[in-house]
Amino acid sequence: MTVTDRPGSETIPASLTVGQVARAAGVTPNAVRFYERYGVITGHRNSGNARRFTVDAVCRIKLALAAQRVGITLKESADILSGIPPMSRDLGQWVAAGEELVRIGRARIDQLQTTVNELTTLDFLQSP
């Protein structure tokens, strides 16, 4: 089985190996296994007992990587992405997940800015 995004575009295998997911997501094979352990992606075993992933595993890893850069945990990313079924072409679900990650990321940035402001003034060192 293969998946095509647009007519005339290159077909992508619907079932990817750990190495294929790693290359496409820009991570190591060990990182793919790590993301699977944390529930960001879900794999299955083929008849030869090899791990296989659907093509959307690449998007899930890339979203989780971006989210990590602003302090969102893998568990939080996994929880948000778990609402999107494998191979979902429902853009609304992907947009909603992205918006939720942005909302959480902005809240983290606000928390960090508050902490930086406190460090700048050192007001927290003064007695109440």
Side-chain angles (χ1 to χ4, degrees):
M1 178 178 171
T2 58
V3 176
T4 316
D5 285 338
R6 292 176 295 282
S9 69
E10 181 180 341
T11 57
I12 302 167
S15 180
L16 302 175
T17 66
V18 170
Q20 289 171 320
V21 172
R23 277 188 298 282
V27 298
T28 66
N30 281 338
V32 172
R33 293 179 194 96
F34 181 77
Y35 285 113
E36 183 182 20
R37 249 188 326 275
Y38 276 87
V40 172
I41 61 174
T42 304
H44 64 279
R45 297 249 178 219
N46 68 5
S47 59
N49 205 32
R51 300 296 297 153
R52 298 290 182 191
F53 300 89
T54 55
V55 295
D56 60 306
V58 175
C59 294
R60 292 171 192 273
I61 289 172
K62 286 183 174 188
L63 281 169
L65 278 168
Q68 281 181 281
R69 290 196 298 266
V70 293
I72 297 173
T73 67
L74 287 179
K75 179 171 180 2
E76 289 171 309
S77 290
D79 289 347
I80 290 165
L81 295 171
S82 70
I84 304 172
M87 301 293 289
S88 175
R89 291 182 176 262
D90 183 348
L91 185 58
Q93 288 181 313
W94 288 100
V95 168
E99 287 173 346
E100 181 63 9
L101 289 168
V102 167
R103 186 194 65 72
I104 294 169
R106 285 189 173 142
R108 294 283 158 82
I109 291 168
D110 289 345
Q111 290 171 343
L112 286 170
Q113 187 62 57
T114 298
T115 301
V116 168
N117 291 344
E118 289 173 358
L119 288 170
T120 301
T121 63
L122 301 178
D123 285 343
F124 64 94
L125 295 175
Q126 298 177 12
S127 299

